[in-house]
Amino acid sequence: MLVIEDDPAIRSALVRSLTDRGHAVSSARAGLDGLQQALDDSPDVVLLDLGLPDLDGHSLLSMLRAVRQTPVIVVTARDDDPSVVKALDAGADDYVVKPFGMDQLEARMRAVLRRTSGDGGSQALEIGELAIDPASREATLRGEALDLSRREFDLLLYLARHAGEVVSKREVLADVWNQPYGGGERTVDVHLSWLRRKLGESAAHPGYLHSIRGVGIRLAAPSEDLEGPADDSADDAPDGAPDPRP
Ligand code: CA
């Protein structure tokens, strides 16, 4: 793993503790050097301090994310929400607030590795005409690739792994955003609406994503008997009715 931290005392303490615990650790004292190492050495996890002298941790994260999916745990002294939210939105997998204990850090590293290595199964999933491959991080609908952001893909994968179940936004926040304490339900809503658009559906006309009011969300294949109006009741045809072919 790679520790990017400018404070020499914190950096050496982290490197020492992690090494004692059996991790292979390299470190960088500045952002650009850290980014270079992250790209050259492909560490399994990057521990990233947000307050760096040369390159803001958020910028580093965005640059890294543009080319790599390396798991990143942000280390921040700033206990303020916006900074953490910004880091998570920029692609951080988790965060710890200084001061933190090594047990907590290790638990978070394990959780991040479990998630990103697809311990939940790297097996491809198929729900109706929706196919999701955690290994290649590709999703297709009716054979056509969906252009999903990292977070949209994670959200879709999480829901697909719980296909048929209603999951609460709190659970989604805990597992996809790693925010077990809630308070970001609006973020889930926003990503859900983006996901719906990409799947060619809407909350009012759901296909795969069903909102269960006051409870949560369920992903399920569109049920065949609800797919369209029956022939004899088609007088009030909705938008989705088949075009009369010439
Ligand atoms: Ca710092």
Side-chain angles (χ1 to χ4, degrees):
M1 63 175 308
L2 170 63
V3 174
I4 307 176
E5 165 68 72
D6 62 319
D7 184 310
I10 297 176
R11 187 176 63 245
S12 59
L14 266 175
V15 169
R16 199 172 46 240
S17 312
L18 288 165
T19 306
D20 284 350
R21 287 168 177 245
H23 300 280
V25 189
S26 56
S27 69
R29 70 190 64 197
L32 282 173
D33 180 33
L35 181 60
Q36 193 62 54
Q37 284 195 45
L39 296 176
D40 291 347
D41 305 344
S42 302
D44 51 356
V45 184
V46 173
L47 213 57
L48 174 65
D49 178 29
L50 283 183
L52 294 167
D54 58 334
L55 179 63
D56 181 56
H58 293 108
S59 315
L60 191 158
L61 190 52
S62 307
M63 289 156 114
L64 179 64
R65 273 291 166 264
V67 285
R68 293 287 161 83
Q69 295 299 324
T70 313
V72 174
I73 298 176
V74 160
V75 178
T76 176
R78 312 167 199 174
D79 190 7
D80 59 327
D81 250 18
S83 181
V84 169
V85 168
K86 194 176 159 196
L88 292 171
D89 280 345
D93 296 273
D94 201 356
Y95 66 96
V96 285
V97 177
K98 291 177 200 168
F100 52 86
M102 290 307 292
D103 286 341
Q104 186 198 155
L105 177 60
E106 274 201 311
R108 287 176 181 262
M109 283 166 51
R110 279 195 301 273
V112 160
L113 286 170
R114 233 180 1 250
R115 276 203 305 280
T116 52
S117 69
D119 214 344
S122 55
Q123 219 178 335
L125 300 167
E126 257 182 60
I127 293 122
E129 294 179 296
L130 181 63
I132 302 159
D133 185 352
S136 63
R137 295 186 62 84
E138 283 169 349
T140 59
L141 179 62
R142 289 182 283 277
E144 297 220 6
L146 295 168
D147 181 20
L148 303 179
S149 72
R150 172 185 155 87
R151 206 62 99 171
E152 288 161 0
F153 181 87
D154 289 343
L155 175 58
L156 183 63
L157 178 60
Y158 178 80
L159 294 172
R161 282 181 171 152
H162 297 268
E165 297 169 29
V166 180
V167 294
S168 69
K169 287 174 190 166
R170 173 66 65 93
E171 290 173 284
V172 171
L173 268 178
D175 275 87
V176 179
W177 272 266
N178 213 55
Q179 285 179 260
Y181 312 111
E185 280 82 357
R186 183 84 191 100
T187 308
V188 178
D189 287 336
V190 169
H191 282 80
L192 262 182
S193 77
W194 290 338
L195 199 49
R196 283 196 164 107
R197 201 173 312 159
K198 292 185 179 177
L199 292 172
E201 59 184 72
S202 66
H205 298 279
Y208 287 86
L209 299 170
H210 305 263
S211 284
I212 316 296
R213 207 193 175 98
V215 187
I217 315 136
R218 186 186 62 214
L219 186 149
S223 129
E224 278 168 27
D225 48 14
L226 293 176
E227 221 160 44
D231 286 347
D232 58 351
S233 63
D235 46 3
D236 194 11
D239 295 347
D243 292 325
R245 304 274 158 170

